[in-house]
Amino acid sequence: KNEVEQSPQNLTAQEGEFITINCSYSVGISALHWLQQHPGGGIVSLFMLSSGKKKHGRLIATINIQEKHSSLHITASHPRDSAVYICAVGGTGANSKLTFGKGITLSVRP
Amino acid sequence: DAGVIQSPRHEVTEMGQEVTLRCKPISGHDYLFWYRQTMMRGLELLIYFNNNVPIDDSGMPEDRFSAKMPNASFSTLKIQPSEPRDSAVYFCASSYLAENTDTQYFGPGTRLTVL
């Protein structure tokens, strides 16, 4: 069993829809990261969470440490949100080693 | 700042050849990470440095792989000898440890093809 599981593996949505991407992990962590990888291959760090919720524009990330689960929500989705969303767990600072999920491929249709 | 810089962007080489990938982290960042991405295994951490010192190299697949960070502005990942199964995209990332933030900034990656 992988330490980091993401679901669903592939997701297709219509422009404007509310999207939720999930991540579950089986190890104790200090932080969880959400990364976005565009079709061109570049990787952007979206959020780092250790508790609660963070919001940036149309993106909201939540984490439940007790349940070892995190969700990434996209409101009013747009075709430019089409990308692979990768969840990674690990420590912070001196224990920064990250373990990655396989990623979810999101396609938003106009 | 120009962000994390990696070179070359693409490398095609023949099996058995030595390959050197280069990375320049963001100025002032004290952590540097080397990752490998393949279709089969996704993203994997190979090694990371703090203040130029290797902290965890448990992800380095074999002795054929080595990484150095001679100073705060430069790191190399070397594969000698290279094999076809080393074909992947290699990312370098850097970060700065500060309170409540640990964002890693990724370079554009080096796409390595070993024939």
Side-chain angles (χ1 to χ4, degrees):
Chain A
K1 188 180 187 301
N2 293 329
E3 292 181 336
V4 182
E5 296 278 356
Q6 292 190 244
S7 62
Q9 281 193 323
N10 295 286
L11 184 58
T12 300
Q14 206 65 33
E15 183 174 357
E17 285 184 353
F18 180 84
I19 296 168
T20 296
I21 299 170
N22 297 303
C23 176
S24 297
Y25 53 93
S26 58
V27 294
I29 66 168
S30 299
L32 181 143
H33 300 248
W34 281 103
L35 308 172
Q36 180 191 56
Q37 186 169 28
H38 278 284
I43 297 176
V44 175
S45 178
L46 298 176
F47 295 103
M48 187 201 75
L49 290 167
S50 54
S51 65
K53 179 170 78 173
K54 286 189 176 179
K55 183 177 188 293
H56 181 70
R58 295 181 294 105
L59 301 179
I60 303 168
T62 63
I63 187 169
N64 185 317
I65 297 293
Q66 287 73 31
E67 295 185 3
K68 296 184 176 177
H69 180 268
S70 175
S71 293
L72 177 67
H73 306 285
I74 305 174
T75 61
S77 60
H78 190 275
R80 64 174 175 266
D81 297 326
S82 299
V84 177
Y85 292 85
I86 302 168
C87 170
V89 301
T92 57
N95 185 25
S96 293
K97 181 175 180 176
L98 295 180
T99 302
F100 295 87
K102 290 291 178 68
I104 289 169
T105 301
L106 171 66
S107 297
V108 181
R109 294 177 176 168
Chain B
D1 201 311
V4 176
I5 299 172
Q6 291 187 246
S7 65
R9 294 292 307 275
H10 302 273
E11 177 81 34
V12 180
T13 190
E14 292 187 345
M15 183 173 65
Q17 295 298 306
E18 178 179 295
V19 175
T20 300
L21 310 182
R22 297 173 176 80
C23 175
K24 178 177 170 27
I26 293 173
S27 177
H29 282 191
D30 54 356
Y31 283 86
L32 184 139
F33 306 82
W34 281 102
Y35 296 100
R36 178 172 67 175
Q37 187 178 39
T38 62
M39 289 291 293
M40 289 296 295
R41 300 172 67 91
L43 266 169
E44 302 173 283
L45 175 68
L46 299 176
I47 184 172
Y48 78 93
F49 296 84
N50 176 222
N51 292 323
N52 314 335
V53 176
I55 302 300
D56 187 337
D57 66 353
S58 59
M60 296 285 263
E62 301 172 30
D63 291 344
R64 298 184 296 107
F65 286 69
S66 62
K68 294 182 180 179
M69 193 166 185
N71 57 63
S73 60
F74 183 66
S75 177
T76 59
L77 178 67
K78 186 175 294 186
I79 308 172
Q80 166 64 14
S82 58
E83 296 183 3
R85 60 193 168 119
D86 302 330
S87 298
V89 181
Y90 291 81
F91 289 98
C92 175
S94 69
S95 69
Y96 171 67
L97 177 60
E99 186 175 351
N100 203 35
T101 181
D102 199 17
T103 298
Q104 295 191 15
Y105 295 83
F106 284 74
T110 295
R111 183 174 295 277
L112 173 65
T113 302
V114 183
L115 303 174

